[in-house]
Amino acid sequence: MEPLKEMFNKAYYQKLALHVTKIYPAFNDKTFIKDVTHNLDSFSLNQRLRNTSVALQKHLPNNYKKSVSILYDVAPLMPNGYTNLVCPDFVSLYGHDDFKLSMEALHYFTKFGSSEFAIREFIKRDANQTLQVMKKWAGDKNHHVRRLASEGSRPRLPWSFKLDEIIKNPKLTAPILEQLKEDDELYVRKSVANHINDFTKDNKEFALQLVSQWNLKNEHSAWIVKHACRNLIKQGDANALALFNISKNVKIAIQNFKLKSNDVKLGNALEFSFDVVSEKNATQKLVVDYIIHYRKKLGDLSPKVFKLVNINLPANANQTITKKQVLKDFTTRKHYFGEHFVEIQVNGVKLAKKKFMLTN
């Protein structure tokens, strides 16, 4: 598989230079390509993005407003997606002396890629002024702009720096989330949910207080809250579970918990089954998860919670659950041989545990 950074390759720069030259004939396409591809192999994906913005600024007019005007015309001609983040990145680097124009540009450019990283440079410098604009964006008719209002102001956006001011005071972005809590675009709702999930890492009480006031009979709000609280639910947080009328005081037993094999080779599947048996004369709403306690390099164990199933278990009933999970190395997880455990958790309560050996 070709590395992601190869999105910014010589062919891309030739295409970019061609379109810029059509709009701005004074653009020296040959010199630009020579500059922007110098030492290109040594640059990471994000370094290539930033290097492109710097090279463009060198070859575009020595006037921010004129340069942005050219990029306005270029953006629709280039492929939508990550490479089109060059336009908002240019704004994040060179637009701080013209706040109004820069906000208009980020609003426009986000429709072709995303301005989520670029807007954070403005939030970092002046959170109040920038967030006032983003609150207006939350009511925009374009779903890309509405998503930007939420995604760009996330406290812990992946691939970007933390917004410490929002971490300290999550109320700053609450008005944005309030406007988007019933958004009919899944693309927007995912961002809102991830924004609130960021809150749960630093301001759990605030996050739960915020969503507890939302109408969970609305399917869009309910989806956001469930997705936002996914980690708290896995952790068995009583307040998060209560949002969905799920109680930690379950009256069940785990029976016939069996592993197909107590020895699992790396690359093969861990297979197990068990019965959830009701011990209550009423239906119980259950969130059934499993935990794999992975052996780490130094021998200690690291638990990872996985989703299994949500069930409404009738009074005095039982249900058999089976699962198969392949154990193989990923870039995000390396396995180490030896003793591991798999554990069953219901509504955040750990109820049964089995040992297995991971072998070569």
Side-chain angles (χ1 to χ4, degrees):
M1 176 184 271
E2 190 174 61
L4 286 175
K5 67 179 184 179
E6 290 304 321
M7 291 188 290
F8 292 99
N9 55 24
K10 190 169 183 179
Y12 162 79
Y13 290 120
Q14 289 171 334
K15 187 173 185 178
L16 176 61
L18 176 66
H19 289 310
V20 174
T21 305
K22 288 178 181 177
I23 296 156
Y24 176 53
F27 188 73
N28 191 325
D29 56 342
K30 292 181 180 178
T31 305
F32 166 74
I33 292 171
K34 181 180 178 181
D35 287 346
V36 80
T37 57
H38 181 66
N39 289 330
L40 187 63
D41 288 344
S42 66
F43 293 158
S44 67
L45 174 63
N46 287 337
Q47 287 173 331
R48 292 186 185 202
L49 170 64
R50 178 52 52 88
N51 182 57
T52 309
S53 301
V54 173
L56 278 171
Q57 195 272 341
K58 180 179 176 181
H59 293 277
L60 288 174
N62 188 24
N63 178 291
Y64 175 67
K65 187 174 183 179
K66 289 182 180 178
S67 294
V68 169
S69 177
I70 293 167
L71 294 178
Y72 259 66
D73 292 334
V74 170
L77 303 176
M78 296 297 290
N80 288 356
Y82 193 87
T83 53
N84 230 328
L85 267 64
V86 165
C87 296
D89 189 63
F90 184 94
V91 173
S92 78
L93 279 176
Y94 305 111
H96 295 284
D97 292 333
D98 194 335
F99 181 81
K100 184 175 183 295
L101 175 61
S102 294
M103 292 300 102
E104 291 171 353
L106 294 182
H107 176 282
Y108 173 76
F109 288 138
T110 203
K111 302 166 190 176
F112 305 101
S114 177
S115 298
E116 65 197 66
F117 302 114
I119 191 66
R120 298 171 77 80
E121 295 290 348
F122 293 87
I123 296 174
K124 185 169 64 175
R125 287 166 172 77
D126 190 333
N128 287 327
Q129 185 183 23
T130 308
L131 290 173
Q132 284 300 318
V133 174
M134 298 177 79
K135 288 173 191 174
K136 295 178 182 177
W137 288 351
D140 199 273
K141 63 182 180 180
N142 186 286
H143 67 276
H144 292 284
V145 178
R146 298 199 304 276
R147 178 187 179 272
L148 174 61
S150 169
E151 194 73 3
S153 60
R154 278 180 58 181
R156 293 178 172 273
L157 181 66
W159 289 23
S160 185
F161 51 82
K162 294 186 295 182
L163 293 176
D164 292 328
E165 193 166 349
I166 295 173
I167 289 175
K168 292 176 184 175
N169 183 12
K171 291 181 180 179
L172 288 172
T173 59
I176 292 172
L177 305 181
E178 287 285 354
Q179 291 186 76
L180 301 173
K181 65 187 179 185
E182 297 180 1
D183 202 280
D184 57 5
E185 285 284 346
L186 180 60
Y187 186 54
V188 178
R189 295 199 300 275
K190 284 182 177 179
S191 176
V192 176
N194 287 331
H195 194 129
I196 297 169
N197 185 50
D198 284 356
F199 282 165
T200 67
K201 298 170 184 176
D202 305 290
N203 300 282
K204 182 178 75 171
E205 290 75 17
F206 175 82
L208 290 172
Q209 181 183 19
L210 176 69
V211 299
S212 67
Q213 300 171 45
W214 292 4
N215 176 20
L216 298 190
K217 292 182 180 179
N218 179 284
E219 62 176 334
H220 295 331
S221 295
W223 187 95
I224 290 172
V225 175
K226 188 174 183 179
H227 194 66
C229 295
R230 60 192 183 274
N231 291 326
L232 293 181
I233 290 173
K234 284 181 179 180
Q235 295 163 16
D237 183 276
N239 292 323
L241 290 166
L243 290 171
F244 298 94
N245 298 315
I246 300 170
S247 173
K248 288 195 72 170
N249 298 317
V250 292
K251 293 186 177 180
I252 63 165
I254 300 298
Q255 297 180 2
N256 301 317
F257 184 16
K258 299 175 182 177
L259 275 60
K260 185 174 181 179
S261 174
N262 293 322
D263 295 300
V264 181
K265 287 186 177 182
L266 184 63
N268 290 347
L270 168 69
E271 298 184 58
F272 59 91
S273 62
F274 58 93
D275 296 333
V276 182
V277 181
S278 172
E279 296 180 341
K280 187 175 182 178
N281 293 322
T283 297
Q284 298 182 83
K285 194 173 185 179
L286 305 178
V287 177
V288 185
D289 301 318
Y290 67 101
I291 307 168
I292 294 183
H293 298 263
Y294 290 99
R295 178 70 50 187
K296 296 173 69 176
K297 186 175 182 179
L298 297 179
D300 52 335
L301 294 171
S302 174
K304 170 70 175 175
V305 182
F306 295 93
K307 190 74 184 166
L308 246 180
V309 66
N310 293 353
I311 57 175
N312 289 315
L313 189 65
N316 303 313
N318 66 79
Q319 182 167 331
T320 299
I321 297 174
T322 62
K323 180 64 182 178
K324 176 192 287 188
Q325 178 168 319
V326 175
L327 301 179
K328 61 180 181 180
D329 288 339
F330 298 94
T331 54
T332 55
R333 180 179 299 281
K334 178 175 174 58
H335 292 78
Y336 296 94
F337 303 126
E339 189 176 73
H340 289 57
F341 292 87
V342 58
E343 188 169 26
I344 308 305
Q345 172 179 285
V346 181
N347 291 13
V349 180
K350 298 175 178 64
L351 295 172
K353 193 174 184 178
K354 287 278 189 180
K355 179 177 73 175
F356 68 95
M357 299 296 292
L358 184 64
T359 62
N360 192 352

